[in-house]
């Protein structure tokens, strides 16, 4: 009936709360391992994950085509998970990727830095200094990941339905509150609308993957939006011939859809290097 996405600070108990919500609702759970495994299964090299997966992009990584490839595979994995409905998805900007869905509830878990440092120190049996360093590193990586891939400030609460300070509430109370919220705000009508939308998003992402990975078309920032059996291609290409080829391919693959393009033609635009 709902898709719950979770963003969390390190040692904010976000993973524990997410798992318990999934258990209480009988929902599928997609955490770090599940999403990583699916990204690799889809075709992204496992050796490259460390450069991009919930990481702050380095200067060179941000300028390579691998950055866009990772994002395409990530979005595919998130859309596939969401298409199952009744699921909890943790991290990786899923709350942004699924922001258009009406049956989506986005949560962010935070806590005072001192509280989180104490928790991590006990969990890892390490010094306070080591725990504090790990938290600072995690904060920087999370901030950089969301800025680099989605141009979003992770400290901005505007995109979350719920922002919870886990230093002030216990896990059971938080879980009970979120269960009640989910059941009350996701109506059957919203669920049906959201399910239709995720099907469109998944088709759009598969179109992008087909053009980029199967046909190797040089269209950067490619995106396919779908509404009422109409597909619109967005992006930047260096020739109209590439755009025409893309339109022909999509028309052949999806003959029941009307195909349009708003791809910008920039003749001196150069593709990213690998």
């Amino acid at each position: 009936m709902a898709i719950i996405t979770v963003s969390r600070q390190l040692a904010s108990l976000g993973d524990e709360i997410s798992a318990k919500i999934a258990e209480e609702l009988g929902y599928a759970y997609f955490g770090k391992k599940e999403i990583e495994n699916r990204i690799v299964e889809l075709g992204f090299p496992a050796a490259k994950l460390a450069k991009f997966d919930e990481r702050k992009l380095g200067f060179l990584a941000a300028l390579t085509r691998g950055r866009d490839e990772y994002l395409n595979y990530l979005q595919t994995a998130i859309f596939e998970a969401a298409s199952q409905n009744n699921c909890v998805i943790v991290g990786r900007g899923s709350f942004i990727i699924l922001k258009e869905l009406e049956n989506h509830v986005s949560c962010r878990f935070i806590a005072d830095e001192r509280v989180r440092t104490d928790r991590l120190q006990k969990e890892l049996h390490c010094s306070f200094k080591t725990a504090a360093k790990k938290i600072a590193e995690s904060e920087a990586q999370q901030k950089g990941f969301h800025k680099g891939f989605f141009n979003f400030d992770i400290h901005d609460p505007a995109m979350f339905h719920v922002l919870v300070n886990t230093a002030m509430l216990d896990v059971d109370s938080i879980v009970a509150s979120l269960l009640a919220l989910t059941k009350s705000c996701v109506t059957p009508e919203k669920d049906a609308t959201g399910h239709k939308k995720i099907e469109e998003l998944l088709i759009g992402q598969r179109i992008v993957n087909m053009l980029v990975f199967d046909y190797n078309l040089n269209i950067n920032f490619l995106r396919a939006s779908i509404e009422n059996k109409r597909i619109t291609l967005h992006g930047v290409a260096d020739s109209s011939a590439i755009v025409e080829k893309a339109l022909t391919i999509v028309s052949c693959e999806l003959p029941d859809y009307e195909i349009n393009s708003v791809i910008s033609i920039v003749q001196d635009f150069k593709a990213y290097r690998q």
Side-chain angles (χ1 to χ4, degrees), residues 69-89:
E69 290 178 354
Y70 168 80
L71 183 58
N72 285 335
Y73 285 124
L74 170 63
Q75 291 182 155
T76 304
I78 297 297
F79 289 150
E80 286 182 347
S83 69
Q84 298 185 30
N85 212 342
N86 296 349
C87 62
V88 177
I89 306 173

Side-chain angles (χ1 to χ4, degrees), residues 193-243:
T193 301
H195 189 68
K196 178 182 178 182
K197 184 62 181 177
I198 193 60
E199 288 180 344
E200 293 175 345
L201 289 169
L202 189 53
I203 291 172
Q205 188 60 53
R206 286 173 174 164
I207 290 170
V208 170
N209 293 351
M210 174 182 67
L211 295 176
V212 172
F213 302 132
D214 297 339
Y215 288 91
N216 296 312
L217 294 190
N218 182 24
I219 305 175
N220 287 271
F221 317 116
L222 181 60
R223 181 171 63 87
S225 60
I226 301 178
E227 185 174 1
N228 297 324
K229 304 291 283 188
R230 176 182 296 176
I231 298 171
T232 302
L233 300 180
H234 310 254
V236 180
D238 59 7
S239 76
S240 58
I242 292 176
V243 177

Side-chain angles (χ1 to χ4, degrees), residues 157-264:
M159 206 174 288
F160 300 105
H161 293 88
V162 181
L163 182 66
V164 182
N165 186 339
T166 65
M168 303 179 70
L169 295 168
D170 64 87
V171 170
D172 289 341
S173 297
I174 294 170
V175 170
S177 297
L178 291 176
L179 294 182
L181 173 67
T182 300
K183 291 176 181 178
S184 65
C185 75
V186 180
T187 63
E189 292 76 19
K190 287 184 178 180
D191 187 48
T193 301
H195 189 68
K196 178 182 178 182
K197 184 62 181 177
I198 193 60
E199 288 180 344
E200 293 175 345
L201 289 169
L202 189 53
I203 291 172
Q205 188 60 53
R206 286 173 174 164
I207 290 170
V208 170
N209 293 351
M210 174 182 67
L211 295 176
V212 172
F213 302 132
D214 297 339
Y215 288 91
N216 296 312
L217 294 190
N218 182 24
I219 305 175
N220 287 271
F221 317 116
L222 181 60
R223 181 171 63 87
S225 60
I226 301 178
E227 185 174 1
N228 297 324
K229 304 291 283 188
R230 176 182 296 176
I231 298 171
T232 302
L233 300 180
H234 310 254
V236 180
D238 59 7
S239 76
S240 58
I242 292 176
V243 177
E244 289 301 320
K245 186 174 182 179
L247 291 172
T248 299
I249 291 169
V250 178
S251 295
C252 291
E253 293 287 343
L254 297 168
D256 296 334
Y257 287 78
E258 177 185 342
I259 317 297
N260 300 287
S261 169
V262 292
I263 295 174
S264 300

